[in-house]
Amino acid sequence: MIERSFVMLKPDAVLRRLMGDIINRFEARGLKIVGVKMLNISRELAEEHYAEHEQKPFFNDLVEYITSGSTLAMVVEGDDCINLIRKMVGSTNPKESDIGTIRGDYALETGRNIIHASDSPKSAKREISLFFDDSEICEYKMPDEHLVYENI
Ligand code: IDP
Ligand code: MG
């Protein structure tokens, strides 16, 4: 099923000039970027985005981290892409992330793990609407869709 996931490159990914490499991984896989923008996340938006972690001991550090600089927010589309992107991102703790995953290749610490990706269809819907207006999503057909997908 075609899904959309919310992906955010955290401030360290932007500062470390990893945006291109990471976006390229999604494009090379055959996924479609249908929304993208850079933004400095407000404290309010960060708290709302990470509301599920409000009671966790790392919550304040997490909000500080995510609001410490510019981020790149994306909506990525593709077949069953929510789980697929989580696999491409790797474990929350980069030391446990497989080599070949984004965190496993570019990060060392949980508190500097460079990327966020939605963990379920419900989170994806919530997160996309938190960061993007409908008018900011672009629908288009990839000319090689028949090469990426068997039954198109
Ligand atoms: P996820 O990003 O892999 O979905 P979550 O458990 O949803 O991981 O946690 C959200 C973010 O909070 C993580 O990506 C990481 O930046 C931060 N975080 C999670 N657990 C810890 C921790 O134990 N210490 C510091 N930061 C943490
Ligand atoms: Mg999460």
Side-chain angles (χ1 to χ4, degrees), residues 28-93:
R29 190 78 194 251
L31 298 174
K32 199 194 294 189
I33 313 293
V34 295
V36 61
K37 62 180 166 190
M38 290 189 73
L39 76 162
N40 296 315
I41 298 178
S42 67
R43 191 165 188 97
E44 294 67 39
L45 181 56
E47 287 175 354
E48 174 86 37
H49 173 63
Y50 281 123
E52 64 170 314
H53 297 304
E54 207 169 354
Q55 305 304 326
K56 307 271 174 63
F58 59 81
F59 183 69
N60 202 46
D61 285 346
L62 174 58
V63 170
E64 288 288 324
Y65 168 37
I66 233 66
T67 58
S68 67
S70 305
T71 63
L72 183 143
M74 273 188 282
V75 180
V76 185
E77 187 180 281
D79 192 34
D80 290 336
C81 76
I82 295 171
N83 269 329
L84 178 70
I85 292 171
R86 291 286 292 188
K87 284 188 199 154
M88 292 174 75
V89 163
S91 306
T92 304
N93 179 350

Side-chain angles (χ1 to χ4, degrees), residues 21-22 25-26 29 84-91 94 96-107 114:
D21 283 354
I22 296 170
R25 287 175 178 234
F26 296 125
R29 190 78 194 251
L84 178 70
I85 292 171
R86 291 286 292 188
K87 284 188 199 154
M88 292 174 75
V89 163
S91 306
E96 288 163 11
S97 303
D98 290 333
I99 303 302
T101 63
I102 294 165
R103 286 170 175 163
D105 287 350
Y106 298 123
I114 76 167

